[in-house]
């Protein structure tokens, strides 16, 4: 899963990047509205963490601009994605500010300073909501997944997944039934400044099939990969 952090405080941003990468997210950071909008237009993200007080304007304006973008038609990929989950993180703690942020289209509003575990929990809720589910546990055939603990079992037996394997699995699950191109999957795994080995994605998918069953990931030759909506 790929997260965009829009935050002008280098210390806060650096801490968030390190923390999120440590739990398996691919992370990119922008310090201005202009840089963030450029990133949203060119890269596919799964969630955005948005500060409000930025050097070139208010983060709320970026949020409203994002929500006003036209929705993609079925089968179309359109960037920026107007329904991207967005969590505001700001020092503005007044009730009117919170109401304004939520009414502008934020999925959640978190006041600084905040606990890292609470942020992670709120991110999981936003991602779960965007996927249209209420149950915190995920069931894919005989595979059971707890995103909060990253505990995975197959037929009741624990399965250990590496960080990138987990990221591929979650990205495919979020888009289950849709074919994701190699580029789209790689975007979910690596940030702007991370190197990528040519066959890394194929290796991760091979490991997922070996650990969780061949039916977990299907290949559309020359197009990409997908997770069936109903995995046997």
């Amino acid at each position: 899963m790929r997260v965009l952090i829009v935050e002008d405080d280098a210390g806060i941003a650096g801490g968030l990047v390190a923390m999120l990468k440590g739990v398996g997210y691919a992370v990119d950071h922008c310090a201005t509205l202009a840089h963030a909008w450029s990133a949203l237009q060119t890269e596919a993200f799964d969630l955005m963490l948005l500060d409000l007080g930025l050097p070139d304007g208010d983060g709320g304006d970026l949020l409203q601009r994002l929500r006003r973008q036209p929705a993609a038609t079925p089968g179309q990929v359109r960037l920026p994605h107007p329904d991207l989950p967005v969590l505001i993180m700001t020092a503005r703690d007044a009730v009117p500010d919170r109401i304004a942020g939520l009414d502008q289209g934020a999925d959640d509003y978190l006041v600084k300073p905040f606990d890292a575990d609470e942020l992670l929990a709120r991110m999981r809720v936003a991602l779960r909501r965007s996927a249209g589910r209420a149950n915190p546990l995920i069931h894919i055939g005989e595979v059971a997944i707890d995103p909060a603990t990253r505990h995975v079992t197959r037929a009741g037996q624990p399965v250990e997944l590496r960080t990138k394997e987990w990221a591929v699995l979650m990205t495919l699950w979020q888009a289950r039934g849709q074919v994701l191109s190699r580029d789209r999957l790689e975007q979910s795994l690596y940030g702007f400044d991370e190197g990528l080995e040519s066959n890394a994605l194929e290796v991760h998918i091979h490991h997922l099939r070996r650990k969780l069953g061949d039916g977990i990931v299907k290949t559309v030759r020359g197009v990409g990969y997908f997770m069936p909506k109903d995995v046997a």
Side-chain angles (χ1 to χ4, degrees):
M1 308 296 284
R2 190 172 182 184
V3 176
L4 176 64
I5 297 172
V6 186
E7 167 64 65
D8 64 321
D9 186 302
I12 293 175
L16 287 171
V17 168
M19 185 267 291
L20 292 176
K21 284 186 175 181
V23 295
Y25 288 98
V27 187
D28 294 301
H29 167 234
C30 298
T32 65
L33 294 178
H35 188 192
W37 186 249
S38 178
L40 289 167
Q41 288 180 300
T42 57
E43 305 288 341
F45 296 97
D46 298 291
L47 182 142
M48 177 165 64
L49 299 178
L50 177 64
D51 187 21
L52 294 180
L54 296 163
D56 54 345
D58 192 281
D61 295 334
L62 176 72
L63 176 56
Q64 289 182 299
R65 185 179 183 185
L66 175 67
R67 295 301 188 227
R68 287 195 297 263
Q69 297 304 300
T73 57
Q76 179 188 35
V77 177
R78 182 188 293 274
L79 295 176
H81 195 305
D83 295 326
L84 176 71
V86 177
L87 274 69
I88 288 176
M89 48 179 196
T90 179
R92 301 177 191 174
D93 60 355
V95 171
D97 290 323
R98 300 186 193 202
I99 293 172
L102 294 170
D103 283 344
Q104 286 172 332
D107 294 88
D108 204 346
Y109 192 106
L110 199 55
V111 176
K112 301 174 183 174
F114 47 76
D115 181 81
D117 288 334
E118 181 182 1
L119 172 64
L120 291 172
R122 289 175 182 264
M123 289 173 62
R124 290 193 295 270
V125 170
L127 290 168
R128 190 165 75 228
R129 193 180 296 141
S130 72
R133 65 186 180 92
N135 192 337
L137 300 181
I138 298 170
H139 295 276
I140 310 169
E142 63 180 4
V143 176
I145 302 167
D146 184 346
T149 62
R150 292 178 59 179
H151 181 66
V152 180
T153 62
R154 180 184 180 189
Q157 298 302 310
V159 177
E160 183 176 345
L161 296 183
R162 298 191 178 197
T163 299
K164 296 300 185 185
E165 294 166 5
W166 171 267
V168 172
L169 179 66
M170 289 294 93
T171 300
L172 288 168
W173 185 86
Q174 286 282 121
R176 59 200 180 282
Q178 303 175 38
V179 179
L180 299 183
S181 67
R182 177 192 179 96
D183 286 345
R184 172 64 184 91
L185 282 168
E186 288 177 347
Q187 286 177 9
S188 73
L189 297 176
Y190 300 94
F192 296 142
D193 57 351
E194 293 182 90
L196 173 65
E197 297 178 11
S198 60
N199 68 334
L201 179 61
E202 286 79 5
V203 171
H204 298 322
I205 289 176
H206 170 74
H207 288 165
L208 283 176
R209 286 171 171 160
R210 176 172 55 82
K211 294 176 179 181
L212 303 179
D214 290 338
I216 201 81
V217 181
K218 299 291 188 181
T219 301
V220 178
R221 196 171 301 277
V223 180
Y225 302 91
F226 73 100
M227 179 183 291
K229 286 189 175 181
D230 298 311
V231 180

